[in-house]
Amino acid sequence: MAKMQKKAAKPAKKAVKKTAAKSKKVVRLAAVKKPAVKAVAKKPNGNGHGLPKPSSKPFGHDGKALTGVRILDFTHVQSGPTCTQLLAYMGADVIKVERPGVGDITRGQLRDVPNADSLYFTMLNGNKRSITIDSKHAKGREILDRLIKHCDVLVENFAPGALDRMGLTWEHIHKLNPRMIVASVKGFGPGPYEDCKVYENVAQCAGGAASTTGFREGPPLVTGAQIGDSGTGLHLALGIVSALYQRIRTGRGQKVLCAMQDGVLNLARVKLRDQQRLKHGPLKEYSQFGEGVPFGHATPRAGNDSGGGQPGWILKCRGWEHDPDAYIYFITQAPVWGAICDLIGKPDWKTDPDYATPNARLPRLKHIFHTIEQWTMSMTKFEVMDKCNAVDIPVGPILSMKEIAEEESLRRTGTVVEVDHPTRGKYLTVGNPIKLSDSPCEVARSPLLGEHTDEILRDVLGYSDADVAEIKGSGAITPPEKGARAEAA
Ligand code: CAO
């Protein structure tokens, strides 16, 4: 990273020299008074604000977006690892620090293959290197301090206070490496719950997602998408790259905090929108309006109602009696209402005042969707998809994970990737969902516990053979008792 910044500064200097070269007098002045920075600020060079010259290498052949960024990855379970895996996909060198003999607890959780790292772990830790260090061991702390000096970002999602208890306070880190960014996921931000441990579903509940998910007549529901863990990891990744960008200007690191409650609320913001709309009358796009059910004081659960202004619902397709996923999401988008009427055999609805306009349809949505369903039930979800797409009606088949795993187009784009692993064999993982045209992503398997300890000690930290031997003997990178690796519950 430091190299990259120097590179970035170069053309600016050149520009100054070029201007200066026009007059020997200016050259001398520049040499004496060193006005370089001011001159550049006033008169950006031709590339704009000191950017390097555009690369002459073909797209995809000049490194990755985050080449040169080194991450000290102290994350575990899901939220933090999601973030650092994404940064690794973008080209960062991610060094995952794990407790000797134990590692990230998920290595042993939900195991499908005996004695092999679980899919829980392997699917969240691709493209990383693993080093084992006991952070509570004196020698281990010494190695960590050295790592801090060699890394750009420390990412962690320990329980509140755990990092401080290791002695890795912000003050300590900032003193060792003022350029280091310290990024944390916590369950809650400052406030009454800041000291609480938090898992996915706690965040979904505290962030407003659960109270607004499910059917009105049923209990609150959590969603399968991990918006608390992976969602917050995504937010943190954006915070980190923003802090890296700001560091180019300021030269210093900063703290980045993402609370899972905040991350979930950010993703559920349309429900806070509806909360405020309630003051001004019923939420007409919710089917409870059409059913004549009064609204309470808070945004209700909306079942499968569409979250936007175009009413939608999940409808049965052929085979629904035995296939739990033989359904399609159907949106009665206003601009294609005429096409919908023709397709389902109700052309008279195009002109019937009870159905012709979006407002007229709102109180009748249940009946409308029931009628459309009689049509969708006569076909498979893919046939419905074909017929609707042909006339621009937005619909979405309910795809099972089996169908997604087998979907060829997702394999072709690298969104679903098969990787090989030395102890568990081949497995599927989700590749980089963000595609950059100049930063292609090759997905690599997750590391074995401590697989890269030696190479990191030597190549990154510069320890000699004798040092490494001493470190090994100290117990800082090995489990306290041989074979003490815990089989997590
Ligand atoms: N060497 C020595 N000790 C280590 C270590 C290492 N390399 N790595 C971790 N530890 C220690 C920590 O120092 C901590 O010890 P103390 O409590 O004595 O200080 C201990 O391991 C456990 O850390 P933890 O409290 O973070 O872990 P937990 O299993 O008790 O809690 C979780 C897990 C997820 C609830 C908690 O970490 C948390 O709330 N994190 C923040 C929110 C979050 O990210 N939640 C998402 C979870 S799912 O993605």
Side-chain angles (χ1 to χ4, degrees), residues 99-102 132-134 449 472 474-486:
R99 202 195 311 220
V102 182
T132 49
I133 303 175
D134 180 349
L449 179 59
K472 280 184 179 161
S474 74
I477 59 169
T478 43
E481 292 162 43
K482 255 194 167 180
R485 181 165 178 181

Side-chain angles (χ1 to χ4, degrees), residues 93 128 135 142 206 264 267 283 289-290 310 323 408 411 457:
D93 176 15
K128 304 181 187 178
S135 61
E142 201 184 301
V264 170
L267 298 176
L283 306 172
F289 170 70
Q310 309 287 353
D323 176 357
E408 268 310 310
R411 300 286 183 104
L457 290 177

Side-chain angles (χ1 to χ4, degrees), residues 216 274-275 277-279 281-283 288 293-300:
R216 205 175 53 245
D274 293 349
Q275 177 63 38
R277 289 171 60 221
L278 265 180
K279 270 190 251 154
L283 306 172
Q288 92 175 65
V293 178
F295 284 80
H297 297 295
T299 308

Side-chain angles (χ1 to χ4, degrees), residues 106-247:
T106 60
R107 284 187 184 266
Q109 279 181 329
L110 312 177
R111 271 195 174 141
D112 54 333
V113 177
N115 302 319
D117 288 331
S118 70
L119 286 166
Y120 196 175
F121 177 84
T122 51
M123 291 180 70
L124 286 161
N125 290 285
N127 296 40
K128 304 181 187 178
R129 299 199 273 175
S130 166
I131 182 172
T132 49
I133 303 175
D134 180 349
S135 61
K136 288 174 180 157
H137 188 288
K139 191 77 188 170
R141 275 291 316 277
E142 201 184 301
I143 302 168
L144 276 172
D145 282 357
R146 202 140 157 173
L147 265 171
I148 287 169
K149 290 181 187 160
H150 283 80
C151 291
D152 298 283
V153 188
L154 184 154
V155 192
E156 63 94 19
N157 67 311
F158 289 124
L163 198 68
D164 287 359
R165 286 195 291 277
M166 287 178 186
L168 298 178
T169 58
W170 161 255
E171 291 72 22
H172 177 76
I173 296 166
H174 191 65
K175 199 169 162 197
L176 282 181
N177 180 359
R179 295 163 49 79
M180 178 163 260
I181 290 152
V182 179
S184 305
V185 169
K186 294 290 165 258
F188 293 93
Y193 305 121
E194 66 187 306
D195 291 329
C196 299
K197 286 184 176 178
V198 168
Y199 281 104
E200 171 69 42
N201 290 346
V202 176
Q204 286 200 24
C205 294
S211 70
T212 52
T213 303
F215 289 91
R216 205 175 53 245
E217 53 280 8
L221 269 191
V222 294
T223 70
Q226 305 286 281
I227 57 175
D229 278 341
S230 289
T232 308
L234 275 167
H235 282 93
L236 193 70
L238 179 58
I240 290 169
V241 291
S242 301
L244 282 168
Y245 192 75
Q246 186 170 3
R247 196 182 70 167

Side-chain angles (χ1 to χ4, degrees), residues 230-272:
S230 289
T232 308
L234 275 167
H235 282 93
L236 193 70
L238 179 58
I240 290 169
V241 291
S242 301
L244 282 168
Y245 192 75
Q246 186 170 3
R247 196 182 70 167
I248 293 173
R249 195 163 35 82
T250 63
R252 67 177 181 216
Q254 61 183 297
K255 290 184 268 183
V256 179
L257 171 67
C258 282
M260 293 167 74
Q261 181 184 39
D262 300 5
V264 170
L265 176 60
N266 186 35
L267 298 176
R269 68 170 54 224
V270 295
K271 299 298 177 180
L272 186 57

